[in-house]
Amino acid sequence: MAEVILESILTCPDCGMTNLMTMPTEACQFFYECEHCKALLRPTAGNCCVFCSFGSVECPPKQERKAFCR
């Protein structure tokens, strides 16, 4: 199995600002407030977290192909 990547670049869909972040491994991150425009990001339909919706890398549980996120 490939090593889990823990860093992802989140891109705000409202203003385009990017932020390199370390993803949590113990739970999915459901909300993120853009540091630039203050938009509150939430997962899009069918995604478990903001990293799966707006990140450059899927969250650790998805990378590990777990059936559910924590």
Side-chain angles (χ1 to χ4, degrees):
M1 180 177 227
E3 186 175 334
V4 175
I5 298 168
L6 297 178
E7 289 188 328
S8 182
I9 299 171
L10 276 181
T11 302
C12 178
D14 290 352
C15 71
M17 184 68 146
T18 60
N19 190 10
L20 177 64
M21 298 188 61
T22 301
M23 295 182 278
T25 57
E26 70 284 347
C28 287
Q29 186 165 336
F30 297 108
F31 303 103
Y32 173 76
E33 183 178 326
C34 176
E35 295 176 4
H36 184 256
C37 73
K38 305 300 181 199
L40 184 61
L41 306 186
R42 297 178 181 151
T44 56
N47 285 319
C48 61
C49 66
V50 294
F51 293 106
C52 289
S53 295
F54 307 107
S56 60
V57 178
E58 291 182 323
C59 69
K62 286 276 181 112
Q63 291 180 55
E64 294 172 335
R65 301 296 177 229
K66 293 187 177 176
F68 61 91
C69 291
R70 299 169 250 159

